[in-house]
Amino acid sequence: MKFYISTSGIKRVTISSSGAGKAAPPSTFTPTAAVAGTRRITIRTLLPVVLVLGLLLPFLFVRVTFLVLESATNCSSTLDCIGRGLFSGSDSSPKLRDELTRALVEAKEVELHNEDGLESFDELVKEMTSKRQDIKTFAFKTKAMLSRMERKVQSARQRESIYWHLASHGVPKSLHCLCLKLAEEYAVNALARIRLPPPEYVSRLSDPSFHHLVLLTDNILAASVVVSSTLENLANPEKLVIHIVTDKKTYTPMHAWFAMNPVKSAAVEVKGLHQYDWSQEVNVKVKEMLEINRLIWSRYYNNLKEEDLEHESQNKRYLEALSPGCLSLMNHLRIYIPELFPNLNKIVFLDDDVVVQHDISSLWEMDLNEKVVGAVVSSWCGDDCCPGKKIKDYLNFSHSVISSNFDSDRCAWLYGMNVFDLEAWRRSNITETYQEWLKL
């Protein structure tokens, strides 16, 4: 053995042996090289071990969990059951799987609906361990909990679609901003406050020899489309008088729009409901109508929140009843058109979602044979069929009063374009009849 010593320590150790036969070559030992080799071997060995443990530990945890549940009824002690499950082979796995499958199959949907299940998996595990229930009960309650969660998710999705439907019928942000800008123009711009119609056209407003067109709307852009499309197709626009009736909050921007965008030839009147001088009797009836409508809306809204929303047809009825078009004040005030225009005899009524494509002057010349309304029936196959909606689609014919007074198979007529004979309307007392049916 030879030592090579320097000032920094032992650099090399040479070991020589003198055994029998040929002498082995001397071996050199370097301490630094030995330490590096040992470190490399340790890292290479440790990494696979960590990976294997990371893969096996989750399966081992699940296995031990089922063994603990099984030990509650089948084993004398938990440790004994775990030991047998881990070291006695795979005999219990098929048995456990078969028992779980059998328990899940036996869990009926009716029983699951009646099961007072837990809301979280942690509560389920605590109950199972505290009451020492078997694996069948565990499987049954797990399936019941998952079924309830699935029903809640489906109900939440349906409610989301319903609320999106209601929100989509609200006032768009761009339209709301337009109203604000026009209201500001009305306040600061004298041109936006000029009189509508001009003084030379005022006498036409109550002259029955002119063609009177009525719009009840709170949508400024929609009213503009109806007016412009009608005038564009009329042969004699100078005979047209347009009456736009809106609510109090929309009156200012509506007036500003038509004042700054004047209509040539025709007379345009913009009037708010607050500007009508109705009698006390009419005011009371309007308030009663709005209150009844509010109660109907509240009933449908409460039913919508309480229902499971599993029947599509019933959901459609709720959505139609809650639609802002059905709840709009302007929509309900159509029944008071004779009171809105006491000096007129015949008018053409257009909805604000109509685009006129032809000359409609002939509508004012139509003979209604003393009928109240001329309307378009949603049918294109004659009087003997009704491919569109029928009266039964709007009224509840399971009620004896409805079924004894209405024909369920009569075609419904569209309310987008109507010709009204206001004199016949006043003679027939339709407004009072409507009030009585609404109360009923």
Side-chain angles (χ1 to χ4, degrees), residues 214-233:
V214 174
L215 294 173
L216 269 67
T217 179
D218 57 359
N219 190 322
I220 299 172
L221 290 181
S224 176
V225 171
V226 176
V227 171
S228 60
S229 63
T230 302
L231 291 173
E232 184 178 353
N233 292 280

Side-chain angles (χ1 to χ4, degrees), residues 113 148 150-162 302-312 314-315 318:
H113 283 288
R148 282 192 303 274
E150 184 178 3
R151 290 195 301 272
K152 288 182 179 180
V153 170
Q154 292 176 351
S155 177
R157 288 176 178 173
Q158 290 174 335
R159 290 179 186 277
E160 180 186 17
S161 64
I162 289 171
N302 292 333
N303 289 341
L304 181 66
K305 295 200 301 183
E306 295 171 1
E307 291 289 335
D308 289 334
L309 305 177
E310 295 177 354
H311 304 291
E312 183 178 356
Q314 191 171 15
N315 294 343
Y318 289 156

Side-chain angles (χ1 to χ4, degrees), residues 78-295:
T78 302
L79 293 177
D80 178 51
C81 195
I82 293 176
R84 282 192 297 167
L86 291 176
F87 303 110
S88 63
S90 59
D91 295 335
S92 60
S93 295
K95 179 181 178 182
L96 180 62
R97 182 180 63 250
D98 295 341
E99 188 173 354
L100 275 172
T101 304
R102 192 183 310 110
L104 292 173
V105 171
E106 291 177 357
K108 304 297 183 182
E109 288 296 330
V110 178
E111 297 175 353
L112 294 179
H113 283 288
N114 298 329
E115 176 71 18
D116 295 331
L118 303 170
E119 296 297 330
S120 67
F121 190 78
D122 292 338
E123 295 178 0
L124 177 62
V125 173
K126 289 180 181 178
E127 182 180 355
M128 296 300 298
T129 54
S130 62
K131 297 182 179 180
R132 302 180 66 84
Q133 295 175 338
D134 57 7
I135 194 67
K136 180 177 179 180
T137 307
F138 172 78
F140 180 83
K141 292 193 174 184
T142 301
K143 185 175 181 180
M145 184 174 66
L146 293 176
S147 298
R148 282 192 303 274
M149 290 181 178
E150 184 178 3
R151 290 195 301 272
K152 288 182 179 180
V153 170
Q154 292 176 351
S155 177
R157 288 176 178 173
Q158 290 174 335
R159 290 179 186 277
E160 180 186 17
S161 64
I162 289 171
Y163 295 143
W164 271 112
H165 166 83
L166 297 178
S168 67
H169 285 73
V171 179
K173 181 180 179 181
S174 58
L175 189 58
H176 178 66
C177 293
L178 174 64
C179 290
L180 294 179
K181 292 179 180 179
L182 290 172
E184 182 182 6
E185 285 292 328
Y186 187 88
V188 300
N189 189 351
L191 179 62
R193 297 191 300 272
I194 63 173
R195 184 173 180 178
L196 290 178
E200 61 270 21
Y201 289 163
V202 172
S203 60
R204 300 183 184 182
L205 298 180
S206 57
D207 190 344
S209 64
F210 283 85
H211 295 166
H212 294 269
L213 178 68
V214 174
L215 294 173
L216 269 67
T217 179
D218 57 359
N219 190 322
I220 299 172
L221 290 181
S224 176
V225 171
V226 176
V227 171
S228 60
S229 63
T230 302
L231 291 173
E232 184 178 353
N233 292 280
L234 279 181
N236 298 308
E238 63 277 358
K239 293 195 64 176
L240 184 65
V241 179
I242 303 172
H243 304 267
I244 301 176
V245 182
T246 187
D247 55 14
K248 186 176 182 179
K249 68 178 179 60
T250 316
Y251 167 74
T252 298
M254 185 77 76
H255 185 105
W257 175 273
F258 284 97
M260 293 188 297
N261 299 277
V263 175
K264 297 180 180 179
S265 302
V268 177
E269 177 194 30
V270 177
K271 199 168 184 179
L273 293 174
H274 60 288
Q275 296 175 324
Y276 281 91
D277 187 17
W278 284 342
S279 64
Q280 182 65 24
E281 181 183 0
V282 174
N283 282 330
V284 171
K285 290 181 179 180
V286 171
K287 290 181 180 179
E288 288 181 356
M289 179 188 65
L290 295 178
E291 178 62 21
I292 293 173
N293 178 75
R294 187 192 66 79
L295 294 175

Side-chain angles (χ1 to χ4, degrees), residues 30 103 163 324 401 420:
T30 303
Y163 295 143
V401 177
F420 290 130

Side-chain angles (χ1 to χ4, degrees), residues 37-53:
T38 305
R39 187 177 301 153
R40 284 196 298 271
I41 294 172
T42 304
I43 294 175
R44 291 176 181 175
T45 306
L46 184 60
L47 184 58
V49 172
V50 172
L51 292 176
V52 171
L53 288 177

Side-chain angles (χ1 to χ4, degrees), residues 9 29 32 60-61 71 82 124 295 345 403 417 428:
F29 173 73
T32 305
L60 184 62
F61 174 76
S71 67
I82 293 176
L124 177 62
L295 294 175
N345 301 327
S403 58
M417 190 281 296
S428 59

